[in-house]
Amino acid sequence: MKTGVFAGLITLDCIYQTRKGLAANEKQVAEAMLLAAGGPATNAAIAFQALGGRAILIGALGQHPLTTVIQEDLAQYGVELVDMTPEATAPPPFSSIVVNVETGDRAVISRNVIDRPHIKQQPAAHLVAAMDCLLVDGHQMWLSQQLAQQARQHNIPVIVDAGSWKSGFETVFALATQVIASANFAPPDRKTEWDAIAYLQSLDVPYSAVTRGDQSILYSTPSASSELPVPSIQPVDTLGAGDVFHGAFCYGYADRLDFLNALNFGAEIAAIACQSFGTRQWIQKLPQ
């Protein structure tokens, strides 16, 4: 069994499915509702575990009563949690999400890690020794850098989820073996997705890609730069699709798929995820 370590944001997501977008001062009764653990690294870890791997999630959680919901959700899906701030008493980051049932589009509001303590202690050495790949989402930058340095010392792949530009990201990119960014990733003075890939190339990232929703994936390897098509579907909910993509990519890559085939595998699993409401129902639709 392959082991993936996922470091970054852990949130509590309150997800509502509505008939349409909310107008100012409008009230709606939701079609469905879900309360679940969330965050890029968290959802990627759950995807990795669901596909048959062993996922270890490292982040800042603490002992506020709301963290029990997160802990139980992670335990239900078999993800091992390493809480680097077990004594923290502040509530976990909370995300409120509205999903349009007609289009699958989602709107998210969250505080992310703004109110969370920054992790400043070294992760246990046995975590690095156990892993076949590492994914970091940049929401705990110092922790991400420390883990990436340790992983590279052991020749373990370091995958960066670059969902958006974050201060200090360049310190982690310098250690990355693969960076998979979203179309929202915008390095300073870069305007297009290909500009973003050029920026990553300038930092000597050997393999990079930009996902663009239902459009093709742009990618760069040491030998080529091109595009990969993605499955054409009618989405029910696009929430967490990028996170699932990253988790599936990590699973495929750890299971010895090459970079392009791992990208394809990630796109296939993300397409399955987009055809169900929320960030969990898709797991029941995986091929047995």
Side-chain angles (χ1 to χ4, degrees):
M1 179 182 293
K2 300 300 181 180
T3 298
V5 171
F6 299 80
L9 183 62
I10 306 173
T11 69
L12 182 59
D13 288 355
C14 186
I15 310 166
Y16 296 97
Q17 188 182 51
T18 65
R19 295 185 300 277
K20 58 185 179 65
L22 289 168
N25 297 315
E26 180 183 4
K27 294 182 180 180
Q28 285 189 36
V29 175
E31 302 289 302
M33 180 266 186
L34 173 68
L35 196 64
T42 301
N43 286 328
I46 288 171
F48 189 93
Q49 183 79 27
L51 290 166
R54 175 195 176 203
I56 301 172
L57 175 64
I58 306 178
L61 192 58
Q63 53 182 287
H64 187 276
L66 284 175
T67 63
T68 302
V69 180
I70 296 172
Q71 292 166 342
E72 291 178 351
D73 188 43
L74 294 173
Q76 179 180 350
Y77 289 94
V79 173
E80 301 172 40
L81 173 64
V82 177
D83 185 3
M84 300 295 287
T85 59
E87 303 302 320
T89 58
F94 194 91
S95 298
S96 294
I97 301 152
V98 176
V99 178
N100 186 323
V101 70
E102 294 183 356
T103 65
D105 293 335
R106 79 286 189 273
V108 182
I109 184 167
S110 176
R111 290 280 288 175
N112 288 340
V113 295
I114 294 172
D115 301 318
R116 305 304 295 162
H118 292 289
I119 298 170
K120 288 296 184 182
Q121 65 265 36
Q122 288 280 355
H126 74 272
L127 293 173
V128 176
M131 64 187 175
D132 294 291
C133 67
L134 167 69
L135 178 135
V136 300
D137 65 16
H139 281 283
Q140 285 285 351
M141 199 66 73
W142 187 88
L143 173 66
S144 297
Q145 184 180 10
Q146 297 302 308
L147 285 167
Q149 287 175 339
Q150 294 179 38
R152 290 302 300 267
Q153 290 169 2
H154 291 82
N155 295 317
I156 295 166
V158 175
I159 298 107
V160 178
D161 172 356
S164 60
W165 175 257
K166 299 173 183 67
S167 177
F169 239 160
E170 61 276 5
T171 63
V172 178
F173 292 150
L175 298 163
T177 53
Q178 292 87 19
V179 174
I180 304 176
S182 77
N184 293 326
F185 175 69
D189 302 321
R190 309 284 174 147
K191 296 181 179 180
T192 70
E193 289 95 346
W194 282 115
D195 286 342
I197 286 181
Y199 168 79
L200 296 170
Q201 290 173 327
S202 75
L203 296 178
D204 295 325
V205 177
Y207 295 89
S208 59
V210 176
T211 60
R212 304 185 297 161
D214 60 357
Q215 300 182 59
S216 61
I217 300 168
L218 310 183
Y219 72 86
S220 175
T221 72
S223 60
S225 295
S226 190
E227 303 181 31
L228 284 174
V230 298
S232 178
I233 61 164
Q234 178 60 48
V236 171
D237 184 356
T238 58
L239 178 67
D243 307 339
V244 171
F245 181 101
H246 285 90
F249 173 89
C250 288
Y251 181 79
Y253 197 77
D255 203 33
R256 305 200 182 282
L257 291 179
D258 63 23
F259 181 65
L260 296 187
N261 282 320
L263 289 176
N264 276 321
F265 182 67
E268 291 170 2
I269 300 301
I272 293 173
C274 286
Q275 296 175 76
S276 299
F277 168 64
T279 51
R280 302 290 185 269
Q281 289 185 13
W282 67 271
I283 295 173
Q284 302 169 15
K285 297 185 177 182
L286 289 173
Q288 300 298 316

